[in-house]
């Protein structure tokens, strides 16, 4: 590691970007907070929306300039190998923290599914709670909730072997295509890079479309909603956060596609691409876990 | 290959903007430390309001609903606003100097991590003025009190927590990368000072559990606004699920607040004992074991929620085990002092008080881990006494020790030793008067988080409140000493302390704006 | 003599109570064992530090030794603590097993936490014989707000205590209506969280008659500090007498339901009920603490159609602090408080509702 010979490390001069990013984040969450509270209180006000749009704008622009700056510095060859290693480590541990974020939601699913659904019915070691819910039968997927007035259950769940299987295939394939693009970079074959990236991005978009279609079906035909009890809750939160990550990942790859079109990336200078690709693989792995635990074992 | 000199030797920007746009680890460290001190005073004022209300039985100063807001905000601000940023500030100042790096690995992101915080806490504090008041459900925000029954400001509280989470995650990624990638050539992991080691491990704890906290507050948000059922039995969820996820974060969190303190103390004691740290390697292994164990003991905060007996026993045994590696640390410090040649300057006084009072807090923690006994201790002032012993004369004293120890290096001036010692003794006496009696009121049955209490607890509460004011106002002396030192004083030498070892002591005092642009070559006694 | 008195006082005030059950005494002993072990550890560690600080100081000319490692020592101070931990874990495990070993109970009481009072239901196979009442703080507001001198049992006294017989195994089925509370009586060493939607069990066998006090031990909102528990342990005969009286009283209430109440009677009863059960949130003047606790004065359901008004009081509103009072108050009290709200604080609607009507609604007449 650091035993190698000394390389100068680039320390950037002061920068206004972070403060704008902080303001951007603040405005964004402040706006969302207002919108949510207004919704729940039944108030009609534009304040939240305006703040959110402003925040989003500041955030978007700041990120754009930030990444442009990094790319520019990279092209000025200010970055040593050691610097690039910092980015590699940074991205890996960022992905690790994302894994932990999903772990919280998977943990909730396991706990509910393995313990709570039984416990509410008075089955198991946690006391005769069934006395409180005389009409409740422990069963997974939980369609008839203990309190159907507040949490009207769904009439069915989405079977694993339909669209979710298709989506699994789409994402797994896209993991391969993104690797092909990587190989293409290593070979310096620009045309191939662009081809494979286009395919990957398209697969991502199809995935998102299918997912959206499935949601509409769940809401309209099955009564499976966020508010339909813990099955709907865990189902939409897990797949929803995954979907959000796919969206982000697709967006990242799209940027990489534009960069490739502009002629960026060489075999030893393509970390931006690699970071996006790792992120994509991570999203893929999460999906496989989802497919198994939410759809196959859950349905 | 490298065409331009990557490091134009720029100094700091002029004026106040310097602090907004800086990418310099020393500037950012300073920002963190001042921010933390401000939050300490803010949270401290809230503690003083709590203690004033509890001075006598009856409702005097605040109504119950404001009291609950004070307790909640006090806990949140002290944990997330005072202690954690203080340690990040120390990390920023010291880690690059200790490992011989030119700066933190990602300087711009470093600035970003800091500047999120004022916004996050601004958001949190502004909730005090919102309709319905600030969060009032305790710093542990158990559902459903915080979901179905929370005030509207809960939404902003949740986003505030998200922002702190983003800040901590970026901060710790930066620290990990700096340590793993920017060490001077020749500095192997086992040559790093213990402070660096403890921070490396702390940073891993942070990136592992802050996302989990983000997850659990997100679930709350959904339960509040979108009728999800995570924490409602009526929909098949469970309020206890909240506690499991919260404490999966919360327990490692308390070690996040103590491991860097262990690092600080492991730097100070050898210096003033003029003797190398005893058992360096076993200290590293002990720290790692503590971190590992911290992930598998969370339910010891939930012994009374009705966990099946097998679970209770498992969590009890696992928790008790933490006493072993922690004991190793305590014994190593004692062995370092043993047959040394000790002097007792202010940092050393704080460090010794740390060892003693932290051990008292640790021992009461061990008592709490014994399930049947915890049925009697849980949610009483015995718990409050426990965690203030580990947090105030633990974490907070270690930060104070660190400030006295490194202040001459940061400012180039020596602080006033007589004033420093006065500050120490006032704090030491104040803290014990405040928190020792709480053990008794707790055992006698006083629940925590109550604005008013039965008459039998009156005496202890009165003593405790007096102590709190003594301790609180002594901190103004601390502020005075720091400002005085920054403005002038006896010039400090390079090594500052006779027995000090480590790279930071090879630099001039005050340390120049940029250090180790080229890595140091002599790493012989990097960790003393 | 003075000293002895002080010591006894001190013993009562600074340490855990020994309690009045087999279990609570076991817990106390366990507490003392671990406490003493901790004190011993403290003495050894701090003693070593003191010796070193006194002997090995530079001002006494101490020269630093150079040792900084000793594997044997490291092993030693890993192994000794483990041994101590085992010594602590053994009695802890067996006490815990005793606590979890529930066995057949003689009496089952459902303990239900409701923002900021406890409701006790003595379960009975014959529902007509079931006794149910709400137990809430009885300390007058004046004492709390320092307008009157505080009595000896300030904040740990209730209007209607739980009564249990001694030497019988009493099982508590603990649950909650709204947020998490915890039912804690130190003298029994029973502390269990009351979790909405779940029931947790605990049990006790008290062996001395007496009055035992406790408090809610989990932050449950505004008046968490004002949610005491009082248990009267009495002889078995006294318990039977008490139970019979309770059952009889319930029957009398049932009879008054049938009769026609006058407006004045309803208003008078209503005011008392309102002060006891509603004023904590909606305040004495009916103005509440908006936005969390709505005002009932001149607005909303309290001045709207009587059916909706009755409904929210009987059934509460799920997911808010507004509880279902249909199970807490009897029909006469319910009718009275509804009438009161519609006519107090200048609401002056002039209408009222009869207990008999409430009874119909409660027994399903309205659905
Ligand atoms: C810096 C923070 C910090 C630290 C380091 C600790 C350390 C420990 N804590 Fe503490 N704890 C808190 C902060 C901390 N805690 C907080 C904030 C809460 C309350 C949260 C809330 O509810 O709001 C809490 C609550 C808490 C509880 C829950 C109590 C309850 O609510 O009922 C428990 C129960 O097991 C516990 C146990 C322990 C143990 C076993 C340790 C151990 O790590 C201690 C180990 C140390 C020693 C034991 C001393 C030194 C060792 C020796 C000298 C060796 C020889 C010793 C033996 C062989 C015994 N803690
Ligand atoms: C690191 C964390 C930390 C620190 C440092 C402290 C510091 C203090 N804490 Fe706190 N505390 C917690 C963490 C911490 N606490 C937590 C997590 C809880 C649980 C919350 C919950 O239940 O949810 C808690 C709860 C808690 C309670 C229980 C409240 C309850 O259950 O209702 C009490 C009561 O005595 C208390 C007291 C104090 C006191 C007196 C201090 C003193 O050390 C404070 C010292 C005072 C000052 C530093 C003030 C100095 C300021 C001035 C002199 C004014 C200057 C004015 C200007 C500049 C304008 N704390
Ligand atoms: Cu009920 Cu606290
Ligand atoms: Cu813990």
């Amino acid at each position: 590691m650091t035993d190698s010979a000394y390389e100068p490390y680039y320390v950037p001069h002061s920068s206004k970007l972070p403060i704008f990013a902080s303001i951007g984040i603040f405005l964004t969450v402040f706006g969302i907070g207002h919108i949510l509270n207004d919704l729940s209180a039944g108030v009609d006000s534009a304040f939240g929306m305006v703040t959110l749009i402003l925040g989003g704008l500041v955030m978007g622009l700041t990120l754009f300039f930030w990444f442009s700056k990094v790319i520019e510095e990279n092209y000025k060859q200010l970055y040593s190998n050691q610097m690039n290693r910092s980015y590699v480590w940074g991205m890996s541990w960022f992905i690790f923290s994302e894994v932990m974020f999903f772990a919280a939601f998977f943990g909730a699913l396991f706990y509910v599914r393995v313990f709570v659904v039984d416990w509410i019915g008075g089955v198991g070691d946690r006391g005769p709670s069934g006395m409180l819910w005389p009409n409740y039968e422990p069963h997974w997927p939980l369609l008839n909730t203990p309190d159907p007035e507040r949490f009207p259950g769904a009439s069915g769940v989405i079977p694993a072997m339909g669209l979710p299987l298709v989506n699994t295939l789409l994402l797994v394939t896209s993991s391969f295509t993104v690797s092909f693009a990587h190989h293409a970079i290593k070979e310096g074959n620009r045309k191939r890079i662009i081809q494979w990236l286009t395919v990957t991005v398209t697969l991502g978009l199809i995935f998102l479309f299918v997912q959206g279609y499935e949601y509409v079906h769940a809401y309209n035909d099955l009564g499976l909603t966020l508010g339909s009890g813990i099955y709907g809750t865990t189902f939409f939160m897990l797949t929803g956060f995954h979907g959000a990550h796919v969206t982000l990942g697709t967006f990242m790859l799209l940027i990489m596609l534009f960069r490739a079109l502009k002629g960026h990336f060489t075999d030893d200078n393509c970390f931006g691409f690699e970071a996006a690709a790792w992120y994509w693989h991570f999203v893929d792995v999460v999906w496989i876990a989802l497919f198994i635990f939410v759809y196959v074992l859950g349905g | 290959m490298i065409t331009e000199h990557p490091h134009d030797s720029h100094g700091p920007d002029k004026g106040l903007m310097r602090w907004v746009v800086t990418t310099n680890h020393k500037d950012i460290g300073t920002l963190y430390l001042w921010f933390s001190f401000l939050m300490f005073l803010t949270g401290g004022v809230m503690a003083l309001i709590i203690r004033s209300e509890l001075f006598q039985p009856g409702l005097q100063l605040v109504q119950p609903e404001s009291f609950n807001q004070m307790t909640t905000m006090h806990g949140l601000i002290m944990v997330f606003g005072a202690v954690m940023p203080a340690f990040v500030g120390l990390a920023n100042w010291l880690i690059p100097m200790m490992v011989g790096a030119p700066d933190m690995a990602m300087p711009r992101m470093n600035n970003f991590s800091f500047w999120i915080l004022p916004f996050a806490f601004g958001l949190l504090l502004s909730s005090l003025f919102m309709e319905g008041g600030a969060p009032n459900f305790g710093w542990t925000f158990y559902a459903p009190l915080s979901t179905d029954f929370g005030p509207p400001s809960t939404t902003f509280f949740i986003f505030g927590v998200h922002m702190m989470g983003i800040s901590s995650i970026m901060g710790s990624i930066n620290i990990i990368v700096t340590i793993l990638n920017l060490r001077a050539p020749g500095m192997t992991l086992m040559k790093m000072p213990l402070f660096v080691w403890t921070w490396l491990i702390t940073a891993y704890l942070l990136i592992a559990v802050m996302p989990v906290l983000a997850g659990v507050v997100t679930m709350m948000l959904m339960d509040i606004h979108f009728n999800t059922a995570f924490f409602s039995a009526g929909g098949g969820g469970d309020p206890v699920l909240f506690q499991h996820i919260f404490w999966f974060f919360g327990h490692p969190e308390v070690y996040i607040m103590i491991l860097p303190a262990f690092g600080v103390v492991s730097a100070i004691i050898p210096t003033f004992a003029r003797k190398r740290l005893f058992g360096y390697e076993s200290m590293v292994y002990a720290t790692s074991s503590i971190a590992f164990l911290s992930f598998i003991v969370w339910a010891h905060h939930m012994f009374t929620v009705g966990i099946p007996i097998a679970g209770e026993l498992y969590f009890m045994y696992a928790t008790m085990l933490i006493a072993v590696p922690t004991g190793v640390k305590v014994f190593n410090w004692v062995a370092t002092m043993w047959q040394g040649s000790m002097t007792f300057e202010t940092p050393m006084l704080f460090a010794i008080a740390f060892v003693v009072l932290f051990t008292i807090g640790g021992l009461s923690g061990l008592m709490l881990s014994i399930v049947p006994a915890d049925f009697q201790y849980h949610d009483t002032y015995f718990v409050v006494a426990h965690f203030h012993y580990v947090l105030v004369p633990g974490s907070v004293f270690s930060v104070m020790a660190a400030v006295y120890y490194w202040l001459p290096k940061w400012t180039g001036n020596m602080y006033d030793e007589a004033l420093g010692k006065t500050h120490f003794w006032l704090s030491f006496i104040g803290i014990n008067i405040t928190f020792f009696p709480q053990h008794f009121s707790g055992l006698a049955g006083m629940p925590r988080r109550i604005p008013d209490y039965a008459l039998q607890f009156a005496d202890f509460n009165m003593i405790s409140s007096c102590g709190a004011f003594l301790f609180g106002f002594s901190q103004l002396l601390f502020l005075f000493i720091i400002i005085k030192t920054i403005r002038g004083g006896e010039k400090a030498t390079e090594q500052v302390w006779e027995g000090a070892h480590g790279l930071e002591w090879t630099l001039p005092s005050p340390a120049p704006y940029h250090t180790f642009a080229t890595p140091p070559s002599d790493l012989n006694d990097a960790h003393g | 003599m003075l000293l002895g008195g002080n010591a006894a006082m001190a013993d009562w005030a600074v340490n855990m109570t020994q309690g009045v059950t087999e279990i609570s005494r076991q817990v106390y002993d366990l507490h003392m064992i671990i406490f003493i072990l901790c004190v011993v550890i403290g003495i050894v560690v701090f003693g070593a530090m003191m010796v070193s600080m006194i002997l090995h100081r530079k001002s006494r000319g101490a020269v630093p030794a150079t040792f900084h490692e000793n594997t044997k020592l490291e092993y030693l101070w890993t192994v000794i603590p483990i041994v101590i931990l085992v010594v602590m874990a053994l009695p802890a495990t067996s006490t815990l097993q005793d606590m979890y070993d529930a066995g057949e109970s003689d009496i089952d009481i459902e303990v239900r936490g409701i923002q900021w009072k406890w409701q006790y239901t003595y379960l009975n196979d014959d529902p007509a014989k079931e006794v149910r009442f709400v137990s809430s703080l009885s300390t007058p507001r004046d004492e709390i707000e320092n307008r009157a001198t505080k009595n000896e049992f300030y904040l740990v006294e209730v209007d209607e205590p739980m009564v249990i017989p001694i030497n019988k195994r009493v099982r508590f089925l603990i649950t909650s209506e709204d947020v998490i509370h915890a039912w804690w009586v130190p003298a029994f060493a029973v502390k269990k969280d009351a979790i909405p939607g779940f029931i947790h069990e605990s049990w006790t066998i008290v062996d001395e008659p007496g009055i035992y006090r406790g408090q809610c031990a989990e932050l449950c909102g505004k008046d968490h500090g004002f949610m005491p528990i009082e248990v009267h342990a009495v002889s078995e005969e006294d318990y039977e007498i008490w139970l019979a009286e309770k059952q009889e009283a319930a029957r009398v209430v049932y009879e008054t339901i049938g009769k026609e109440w006058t407006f004045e009677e309803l208003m008078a009863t209503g005011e008392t009920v309102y002060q006891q059960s509603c004023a904590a949130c909606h305040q004495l003047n009916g103005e509440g603490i908006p936005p969390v606790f709505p005002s009932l004065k001149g607005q909303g359901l309290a001045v709207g159609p009587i059916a909706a008004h009755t409904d929210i009081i009987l059934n509460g509103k799920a997911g808010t602090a507004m509880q279902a009072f249909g199970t807490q108050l009897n029909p006469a009290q319910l009718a009275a408080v509804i009438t009161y709200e519609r006519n107090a604080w200048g609401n002056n609607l002039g209408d009222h509702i009869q207990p008999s009507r409430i009874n119909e609604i409660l027994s399903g007449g309205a659905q």
Side-chain angles (χ1 to χ4, degrees), chain B residues 502-514:
Chain B
L503 287 178
E504 76 269 30
W505 307 110
T506 62
L507 294 167
S509 306
Y513 198 59
H514 292 288

Side-chain angles (χ1 to χ4, degrees), chain B residues 307 317 339 342 377-378 452, chain C residues 31 58 93 100 154 191:
Chain B
I307 296 174
Y317 299 147
Q339 291 194 0
M342 275 185 279
Y377 309 138
H378 175 70
D452 193 5
Chain C
H31 158 72
K58 197 182 176 199
T93 307
Y100 267 73
Y154 178 69
K191 183 186 283 155

Side-chain angles (χ1 to χ4, degrees), chain B residues 57-60 63-65 68 72 131-132 136-138 140 142-145 148-149 151-152 233 237-240 243 273-282 303-309 312-313 316-317 320-324 327-328 330-332 334-335 337-344 352 355-357 359-360 363-364 366-367 370-380 382 439-457 460 498, chain C residues 12-17 24 27 30-31 34-35 38-39 41-42 45-49 51-59 61-70 73-74 77-79 81-82 84-86 88-89 91-93 95-97 99-100 115 141 143-146 150-156 177-180 182 184-193 195-198 200 215-226 289-292 319-322:
Chain B
L59 292 181
Q60 292 91 11
Q63 288 302 305
E65 55 279 17
N68 288 345
T72 307
E131 215 190 17
N136 53 10
F137 26 64
T140 51
Y142 281 7
L145 185 60
D148 291 345
F149 297 81
D238 183 353
V240 174
Q243 299 182 25
R274 294 171 180 72
K275 190 161 153 275
R276 280 180 65 182
L277 181 68
F278 190 86
Y280 172 86
E281 267 182 52
S282 62
F303 284 145
T304 62
V305 300
I307 296 174
I309 186 166
E312 303 266 81
L313 286 174
M316 169 168 82
Y317 299 147
M320 293 173 80
L321 270 186
I322 301 188
V324 176
V328 168
V330 172
F331 300 135
N332 278 331
V334 177
M337 292 166 65
W338 193 258
Q339 291 194 0
S341 168
M342 275 185 279
T343 52
F344 300 93
I352 291 173
V355 178
V356 174
L357 300 180
T359 302
I360 294 179
L363 292 172
S364 64
L366 188 80
M367 293 174 72
I370 309 283
V371 182
D374 184 65
F375 287 165
Q376 296 282 45
Y377 309 138
H378 175 70
D379 258 323
T380 67
F382 192 77
H439 290 111
F440 301 133
S441 40
L443 288 175
M446 177 167 165
R448 58 192 281 210
R449 295 165 165 170
I450 56 175
D452 193 5
Y453 47 84
L455 300 181
Q456 79 200 81
F457 310 122
F460 289 130
E498 187 190 6
Chain C
W12 163 78
V14 302
N15 204 351
M16 184 188 283
T17 169
S24 73
V27 171
L30 180 64
H31 158 72
I34 52 181
F35 173 64
C38 285
V39 171
I41 295 169
V45 175
F46 306 149
M49 286 177 75
V51 169
S52 164
M53 283 192 289
I54 292 166
L55 297 181
H56 311 140
R57 46 168 71 220
K58 197 182 176 199
S59 53
V63 180
T66 52
F67 64 85
H68 60 86
E69 239 166 18
N70 185 328
L73 216 52
E74 302 269 6
W77 62 47
T78 308
V79 172
I82 292 179
I84 300 177
L85 293 179
V86 173
M88 291 177 175
T93 307
T95 305
L96 193 67
Q97 276 162 345
M99 289 176 135
Y100 267 73
Q115 272 181 329
R141 222 42 231 175
E143 289 187 21
I144 296 174
E145 276 154 20
N146 308 312
K150 302 181 177 15
N151 79 83
E152 190 186 353
F153 299 113
Y154 178 69
L155 291 192
V156 283
E177 180 96 359
D178 33 50
V179 301
I180 303 180
W184 179 33
V185 180
F188 307 164
V190 169
K191 183 186 283 155
K192 202 80 178 192
D193 288 5
I195 294 176
F198 291 84
H200 292 117
Q215 275 177 270
C216 175
E218 180 62 61
L219 179 61
C220 52
K222 181 165 78 68
D223 282 349
H224 159 62
F226 304 92
I289 316 176
V292 186
T320 75
M322 184 60 200

Side-chain angles (χ1 to χ4, degrees), chain A residues 5-8 73-82 84 268-269, chain B residues 1-6:
Chain A
Y6 158 66
E7 308 156 295
E73 283 169 356
N74 186 2
Y75 274 85
K76 280 195 194 155
Q77 305 215 323
L78 295 175
Y79 290 2
S80 59
N81 287 334
Q82 192 187 10
N84 288 329
D268 62 349
N269 193 349
Chain B
M1 264 187 302
I2 286 151
T3 47
E4 210 172 318
H5 195 287

